[in-house]
Amino acid sequence: MLPPGRIDGDGGGHIHVPVRGATPPSIQTVFSVDGSRSHRWQAELLAHSHRKVRQPGSLTRLWSGPERPTAFAGETFWAEPYAPHPVSGDDYAPYNKPAAIQEWLGGVCPPEETVLVVDPDCVFLTPVVDTVERGRPAAQLYSYLDPADDPGAELAARHCRHPSPQGVGVPYLIHRDDLAALAPLWLAKTEAIRGDRRSRELAGWVAEMWGYAFAAAELGLVHEARELCVVQTEDQTEAPIIHYCQNPDDGADRWRWDKWGYRPWEPVPPPPDGTPRALVALVGLLNEWATTQARCLER
């Protein structure tokens, strides 16, 4: 069943919103949202940063929500929601990412050959300009996705036929043909991990990330490790992207900010001296965007 009010006759639900002054296409940036309030403001902040750094290429939001998509300064593809799981009922939101990518690339061929897959809780500090060739993706390495150590070793033994998967995560830089081939297996691996009680316990929330790693390995995709992002708790801003996925709950009595406690569309007090540089940059960008939103409401 199609989502209520889905737009037909426009690329199967592909909503085009022109971005004025965009540079010639080179890299397609894509991310998945579920239509929640938190994903809405994150998507808007991501679009603001994409526009500010003049990231070359299109920005596409994969909307897996039941309601009609909200306005967005980019392109939107309305995908069939995949969480809760349509068969098992498993209420695991990350199913939406590989499912929406599979549906998107099954009906749309983006003009850019290189696809940059990010999460909504990402912002650009500088543009990503390096493209990749077919069969040669690049990605960020994550220490907690170590396939040689538990729980990764046990998960790999249960769900990966390749002996050496890589512990990679977003941002992914990948050729659109490789992504199209990978997405169905990515989803299937995620379903298998979540469907096995022991594996589900081992993987926790990052089952979908393990699903990607195992699918890529079985397809023979070896990623070049690149420093594509930092998290907001790091005292550096050299990477092109901040992924503000961390919850800085270290018990210290100091100023902090995280996406879970943020009041959407509102400015944040400037961080004090000693705040990690990545967080300072993130808050500066967020306040710049929030101020813009307030001015729009005043008009």
Side-chain angles (χ1 to χ4, degrees):
M1 180 180 297
L2 293 176
R6 179 168 178 170
I7 297 176
D8 293 317
D10 184 22
H14 198 193
I15 306 166
H16 295 275
V17 182
V19 181
R20 296 178 181 176
T23 56
S26 61
I27 297 176
Q28 167 77 224
T29 303
V30 64
F31 66 101
S32 170
V33 299
D34 59 15
S36 63
R37 178 179 171 88
S38 61
H39 274 184
R40 180 184 168 192
W41 72 258
Q42 290 171 34
E44 292 177 8
L45 178 59
L46 172 56
H48 173 77
S49 70
H50 185 277
R51 182 170 57 250
K52 179 179 179 179
V53 304
R54 299 185 178 180
Q55 170 62 35
S58 304
L59 177 65
T60 297
R61 177 184 63 168
L62 305 178
W63 178 280
S64 297
E67 287 85 22
R68 185 181 181 87
T70 57
F72 180 66
E75 298 181 359
T76 295
F77 182 86
W78 195 354
E80 193 74 30
Y82 217 82
H85 192 279
V87 176
S88 69
D90 181 21
D91 193 10
Y92 178 62
Y95 280 132
N96 284 324
K97 189 192 299 183
I101 288 175
Q102 179 181 353
E103 186 177 345
W104 171 58
L105 290 178
V108 176
C109 182
E112 304 92 341
E113 293 188 356
T114 296
V115 179
L116 174 64
V117 182
V118 297
D119 282 340
D121 56 350
C122 289
V123 293
F124 287 91
L125 294 179
T126 57
V128 176
V129 296
D130 293 333
T131 58
V132 295
E133 298 176 359
R134 188 182 290 106
R136 302 183 64 181
Q140 183 80 21
L141 284 177
Y142 283 80
S143 59
Y144 57 82
L145 295 177
D146 186 352
D149 195 6
D150 285 331
E154 183 175 344
L155 286 167
R158 286 173 172 264
H159 298 286
C160 188
R161 295 192 297 270
H162 192 280
S164 302
Q166 295 175 285
V168 294
V170 295
Y172 305 113
L173 270 173
I174 185 169
H175 193 280
R176 68 186 178 206
D177 295 347
D178 291 335
L179 186 59
L182 189 148
L185 186 56
W186 178 5
L187 177 59
K189 291 291 184 182
T190 303
E191 291 171 324
I193 293 169
R194 292 287 297 181
D196 176 75
R197 181 177 297 179
R198 172 61 177 168
S199 299
R200 180 172 177 165
E201 177 183 337
L202 289 171
W205 186 254
V206 297
E208 164 267 318
M209 296 177 71
W210 283 115
Y212 177 99
F214 298 157
E218 291 189 5
L219 291 177
L221 295 173
V222 179
H223 293 72
E224 176 190 345
R226 294 191 190 173
E227 290 297 323
L228 294 169
C229 75
V230 295
V231 298
Q232 81 270 27
T233 55
E234 294 186 65
D235 192 29
Q236 59 152 314
T237 55
E238 282 70 34
I241 291 171
I242 296 176
H243 189 189
Y244 52 98
C245 55
Q246 295 293 316
N247 183 2
D249 188 14
D250 56 7
D253 185 17
R254 64 182 186 185
W255 189 92
R256 67 188 65 197
W257 179 92
D258 62 64
K259 64 183 181 181
W260 296 276
Y262 173 61
R263 296 181 63 176
W265 299 283
E266 293 189 9
V268 175
D273 293 342
T275 302
R277 284 183 292 163
L279 183 52
V280 172
L282 172 62
V283 169
L285 187 64
L286 186 148
N287 283 339
E288 177 184 273
W289 162 75
T291 300
T292 302
Q293 299 303 303
R295 289 172 180 170
C296 291
L297 291 175
E298 291 172 355
R299 294 175 183 172

